[in-house]
Amino acid sequence: MRIGTTLTHYIIRNQREIEGASGTFTGLLNDICVACKKIAALVDKGALVNVLGSAESENVQGEEQKKLDVISNEIMIEALEHNGHIAALASEEMEGIHPMSAERRGRYLLLCDPLDGSSNIDVNVSVGTIFSILRAPDDTKAPTEADFLRPGVEQVAAGYCLYGPSTMMVLTTGNGVSMFTLDRDFGEFLLTRENVSIPDETREFAINASNRRFWDEPIQRYIEECLAGEEGPRGKNFNMRWVASMVAEVHRILTRGGVFMYPCDKRIRAQGKTGKLRLMYEANPMAMIVEQAGGAATTGMQRILEVDPDELHQRVPVILGSRKEVERVTAYHD
Ligand code: P6P
């Protein structure tokens, strides 16, 4: 039986296309793979291994941490700190960066949301790990938080692991988007789709409609037009989805198109924030993936990948997915 292309073989085969890649890059992706397989195993077992429920703690965002948030972050650190592929790790679950020791300092910086959508974990709905890879500066000096504050266009690679009905790794290294499905029989991610392409148009939008009364006018207008259906200005009926797990929403959009929106709104601004989703380890990696699949990703005002970060846990409005829909929503902001 032909096993098919494993993720590791795929990276080694494509390594020549990854500018400046070396075994370090392949090793880093392999470390991320191992971490995601460990997280997948725990997500799969859930209540059987007592990893559900609250960790009775808060993250730097002041949000309740689930046990699996904390465990997933620890798995990431453990998988990455011994192999010398990164200089430091940044995570939604840690206030500051986690620098590697001088003798183990590698050529890359890794940012991650170890378990995105974790509010779903206790109700058995899909969650995921999101990661973003930047080049480290000169690896003779200790990395600082400032080294991470690079616009999304400088990402070397981005990806996510979706813990859904099947566990899937989705990856871009700047040459298109590929999808891999975990074969648990022998613990390998196997290539199941290449050159993923998002349809330019869609009839499906994803937004948390319970926030409607807080939305700014451009979002109000766009959603009202969708809801008006074929009798309205769009001349077609729309469907709505909201999983409350960005990884699941992005995966659906990569698979069949759609537009995902988490705009800034009056409620968020009243809390002194600039959005709900985080730029460095949610919006940027997902924006790279979506653009590499032919879609678009903006804040409503600018391309997400061109936002100059001010701080590690910065939040931004996110509108991403089918190019023509994102362009329409963005145009309404002009
Ligand atoms: P709400 C999960 O907490 C997350 O960061 C994204 O994965 C998801 O799209 C969004 O927040 C859900 O937010 O306000 O609907 O719970």
Side-chain angles (χ1 to χ4, degrees):
M1 175 191 81
R2 182 175 176 279
I3 282 182
T5 304
T6 66
L7 175 55
T8 304
H9 290 153
Y10 182 84
I11 295 301
I12 291 170
R13 190 180 76 197
N14 292 7
Q15 186 165 272
R16 59 181 174 280
E17 293 172 11
I18 300 161
E19 183 260 327
S22 67
T24 296
F25 188 76
T26 301
L28 170 53
L29 288 174
N30 196 56
D31 290 348
I32 295 169
C33 241
V34 168
C36 290
K37 283 190 256 188
K38 286 185 176 179
I39 295 168
L42 289 176
V43 168
D44 185 55
K45 287 186 173 57
L48 295 174
V49 290
N50 186 29
V51 294
L52 301 184
S54 171
E56 308 299 331
S57 57
E58 284 187 347
N59 64 17
V60 63
Q61 335 278 341
E63 293 163 344
E64 180 205 25
Q65 288 179 303
K66 299 290 187 182
K67 286 178 190 168
L68 262 177
D69 281 319
V70 177
I71 294 166
S72 299
N73 191 60
E74 288 164 357
I75 289 172
M76 271 292 171
I77 292 171
E78 181 194 10
L80 290 152
E81 72 178 349
H82 300 295
N83 299 339
H85 299 137
I86 63 172
L89 169 69
S91 163
E92 180 187 55
E93 303 306 329
M94 299 187 295
E95 180 157 10
I97 66 170
H98 181 94
M100 302 298 132
S101 55
E103 65 277 7
R104 291 202 182 102
R105 196 171 289 154
R107 300 174 48 202
Y108 297 99
L109 300 175
L110 179 68
L111 301 104
C112 71
D113 182 353
L115 200 68
D116 181 68
S118 56
S119 61
N120 284 314
I121 197 72
D122 294 345
V123 294
N124 200 25
V125 170
S126 299
V127 292
T129 297
I130 309 173
F131 60 90
S132 167
I133 300 175
L134 295 167
R135 286 198 191 295
D138 171 6
D139 58 11
T140 60
K141 74 178 186 64
T144 65
E145 184 170 306
D147 294 326
F148 282 81
L149 301 184
R150 311 301 316 142
V153 288
E154 294 188 25
Q155 293 175 103
V156 175
Y160 61 80
C161 192
L162 173 60
Y163 311 113
S166 61
T167 293
M168 293 186 74
M169 179 74 76
V170 174
L171 175 68
T172 181
T173 56
N175 295 292
V177 175
S178 298
M179 296 185 172
F180 304 81
T181 303
L182 180 62
D183 184 328
R184 293 183 190 279
D185 289 347
F186 62 107
E188 284 287 356
F189 282 104
L190 298 181
L191 181 66
T192 42
R193 199 166 157 205
E194 274 190 293
N195 305 317
V196 175
S197 177
I198 300 174
D200 273 353
E201 301 191 332
T202 182
R203 290 169 181 254
E204 195 161 69
F205 65 87
I207 193 167
N208 182 337
S210 71
N211 297 322
R212 180 164 170 258
R213 63 191 182 283
F214 304 120
W215 295 338
D216 295 335
E217 194 280 333
I219 301 293
Q220 295 274 6
R221 174 184 172 190
Y222 176 76
I223 297 296
E224 289 308 316
E225 288 180 353
C226 290
L227 295 176
E230 54 194 12
E231 293 82 34
R234 299 301 308 276
K236 58 184 181 179
N237 295 325
F238 281 75
N239 189 31
M240 194 199 97
R241 285 286 181 273
W242 190 249
V243 184
S245 180
M246 188 185 193
V247 181
E249 317 272 11
V250 170
H251 195 76
R252 184 187 60 249
I253 288 169
L254 286 172
T255 306
R256 70 186 192 207
V259 58
F260 167 89
M261 291 166 280
Y262 212 114
C264 192
D265 62 27
K266 297 174 183 62
R267 170 183 55 102
I268 291 172
R269 274 192 285 270
Q271 297 164 352
K273 296 175 183 172
T274 50
K276 160 85 191 270
L277 303 178
R278 289 78 171 186
L279 173 64
M280 298 306 295
Y281 40 79
E282 290 176 332
N284 267 343
M286 292 310 204
M288 181 178 182
I289 292 166
V290 164
E291 286 199 4
Q292 282 288 316
T298 77
T299 63
M301 310 309 283
Q302 70 178 112
R303 189 178 167 215
I304 284 175
L305 294 181
E306 291 175 349
V307 174
D308 276 322
D310 297 317
E311 57 101 19
L312 195 59
H313 300 289
Q314 175 173 339
R315 299 169 188 261
V316 290
V318 175
I319 299 157
L320 62 75
S322 293
R323 175 166 295 283
K324 288 192 176 174
E325 288 304 306
V326 173
E327 287 169 353
R328 175 185 288 266
V329 180
T330 303
Y332 288 0
H333 283 74
D334 288 348

